[in-house]
Amino acid sequence: MPPKMNTAAKITRPSVSSLQQPDENERLEVLRNYQILDSPPEKAFDDLVRLAAYICGTTISLVSLIDAERQWFKANLGLERFSETHRDAAFCQYAMLSDDVFEVSDTTLDPLFQQNPLVVSNPNIRFYAGAALVSPEGLPLGTICALDTQPRSLNDQQREAMRILAREVVAHLELRRARLQLEQEQQKLEGLLRMANNAAETMFVGSRNEIFVKQDHKLVRVHTNDIRYVEALGDYVNIYTSRERYTVYSTMKELEAKLPLREFARVHRKYIVCLDRITSIEGDIMLVDNGRGTDRQVNPTPVPIGNSYKAALLSRLNLI
């Protein structure tokens, strides 16, 4: 059973009038720049709420982010049937404005929360403690909080732990934002390099005897007469020459359009081959040579032939 508390100890939160109100439009802009609202669960945040509940001895813990009209739970332990609530019902909308741990020892004795729907009905919250998540810009985003269905009070060590956990949540938010920005910059770079690839081909390869591929942030000239075959690999393709393998961000359709049509053929949804490199065909498998000059037939590579491509391939071969 939780310890009995005298009346003076039951409300330990700051008064609402003392809470500093930030510019709401600026706050929401910073929150949305994290691109985290309505994102799937992530283990880093789930682990932090489990730790908060363990430290505070509560059955419920949340990472709650305060949107314009709702509080949305990025991590949720103990209230899994809720993904969000209306902002009017959020303890966290007050806690995020406090400069220290915002604690309500018994919600039924606090005039601000006595009629809160989360108090008067399921889940019947009686205890709340939340530490604000403050962005590097100094703007509150929400809280990491611990809640329970019976009154209680934190000790000094538990409050300090909540402050530390709040900083950890913000650190993970910053790491997540940095990763997303890096991915977006990488996509932009891929687009620019693809444009450069196209421009280079237009300028230098009117006859399609050469292509330029990106490798380690540089463009490499590849002679098409040295390409043996091309293999699709998800969002990338592997280009196999006699000496090298180049992995580039492209599609088979894009690459097929850049190769000399008279010399290359699509033989499978995942393969384009140089017709001059085919050494033999048996059933639905062809062998493609690997070497150069007199070594061209050493250790040939088997490449499958798709049923829908076989007739067109055979029509291009000089059969007798």
Side-chain angles (χ1 to χ4, degrees):
M1 294 294 290
K4 294 183 178 180
M5 296 169 287
N6 58 40
T7 304
K10 291 181 180 186
I11 300 176
T12 58
R13 63 169 175 80
S15 66
V16 175
S17 61
S18 69
L19 301 177
Q20 298 298 314
Q21 297 288 338
D23 181 280
E24 182 66 359
N25 289 332
E26 184 181 3
R27 190 191 72 79
L28 289 173
E29 181 180 0
V30 169
L31 173 61
R32 288 165 185 171
N33 281 341
Y34 283 95
Q35 302 179 54
I36 195 168
L37 293 173
D38 300 308
S39 61
E42 297 176 50
K43 186 175 186 299
F45 298 99
D46 292 342
D47 286 346
L48 290 173
V49 296
R50 291 178 61 192
L51 189 56
Y54 176 77
I55 290 170
C56 296
T58 62
T59 57
I60 302 167
S61 182
L62 309 164
V63 168
S64 174
L65 300 171
I66 303 299
D67 202 358
E69 296 182 353
R70 61 172 178 157
Q71 68 168 343
W72 178 77
F73 304 138
K74 174 58 183 173
N76 184 335
L77 175 69
L79 284 184
E80 286 81 3
R81 72 187 190 90
F82 295 93
S83 61
E84 60 182 59
T85 73
H86 197 278
R87 183 168 174 173
D88 289 345
F91 292 75
C92 296
Q93 68 172 322
Y94 304 105
M96 74 173 184
L97 303 178
S98 177
D99 59 4
D100 201 355
V101 177
F102 184 99
E103 184 176 347
V104 182
S105 298
D106 189 339
T107 58
T108 64
L109 301 176
D110 190 319
L112 185 61
F113 300 110
Q114 284 173 330
Q115 301 304 314
N116 187 291
L118 301 179
V119 173
V120 299
S121 60
N122 192 45
N124 303 113
I125 300 301
R126 294 294 178 266
F127 167 77
Y128 174 90
L133 309 177
V134 181
S135 75
E137 298 88 347
L139 293 167
L141 309 172
T143 74
I144 182 168
C145 57
L147 306 91
D148 211 342
T149 55
Q150 52 187 325
R152 63 176 62 246
S153 182
L154 300 184
N155 59 38
D156 290 342
Q157 291 77 18
Q158 290 169 319
R159 294 188 189 95
E160 178 59 19
M162 291 296 286
R163 298 181 193 108
I164 294 170
L165 290 174
R167 293 194 293 271
E168 283 297 307
V169 173
V170 174
H172 282 291
L173 289 174
E174 285 295 306
L175 286 172
R176 187 181 185 279
R177 176 162 65 174
R179 187 186 74 247
L180 290 174
Q181 290 174 342
L182 182 62
E183 290 172 355
Q184 291 166 359
E185 291 301 316
Q186 182 67 24
Q187 290 173 3
K188 291 178 184 178
L189 177 61
E190 295 284 359
L192 290 172
L193 287 170
R194 187 175 297 179
M195 290 173 60
N197 193 358
N198 293 339
E201 182 173 353
T202 300
M203 293 173 62
F204 301 111
V205 199
S207 63
R208 294 186 180 178
N209 292 325
E210 300 168 337
I211 60 174
F212 285 79
V213 298
K214 181 191 75 78
Q215 296 293 294
D216 298 325
H217 306 293
K218 65 182 179 180
L219 294 175
V220 178
R221 186 194 300 262
V222 177
H223 293 277
T224 57
N225 61 11
D226 196 32
I227 296 174
R228 300 184 295 111
Y229 69 97
V230 178
E231 176 188 32
L233 190 67
D235 292 332
Y236 294 82
V237 296
N238 284 330
I239 300 173
Y240 291 88
T241 70
S242 298
R243 297 188 181 92
E244 303 286 345
R245 182 192 72 185
Y246 300 100
T247 300
V248 297
Y249 183 79
S250 183
T251 65
M252 293 292 273
K253 184 176 181 180
E254 289 175 345
L255 196 56
E256 189 175 18
K258 298 178 187 298
L259 295 172
L261 295 178
R262 66 182 181 276
E263 298 174 16
F264 288 84
R266 185 83 171 264
V267 300
H268 190 277
R269 63 183 180 85
K270 293 181 61 177
Y271 292 95
I272 297 171
V273 300
C274 176
L275 295 174
D276 187 48
R277 295 286 185 152
I278 301 172
T279 62
S280 65
I281 297 174
E282 182 175 351
D284 293 331
I285 298 293
M286 67 172 61
L287 296 181
V288 179
D289 68 65
N290 290 321
R292 296 174 60 85
T294 57
D295 297 327
R296 284 180 53 168
Q297 294 190 27
V298 175
N299 299 320
T301 300
V303 173
I305 305 172
N307 290 333
S308 59
Y309 297 92
K310 192 168 186 179
L313 171 65
L314 293 177
S315 71
R316 298 184 61 184
L317 301 179
N318 190 15
L319 299 176
I320 59 173

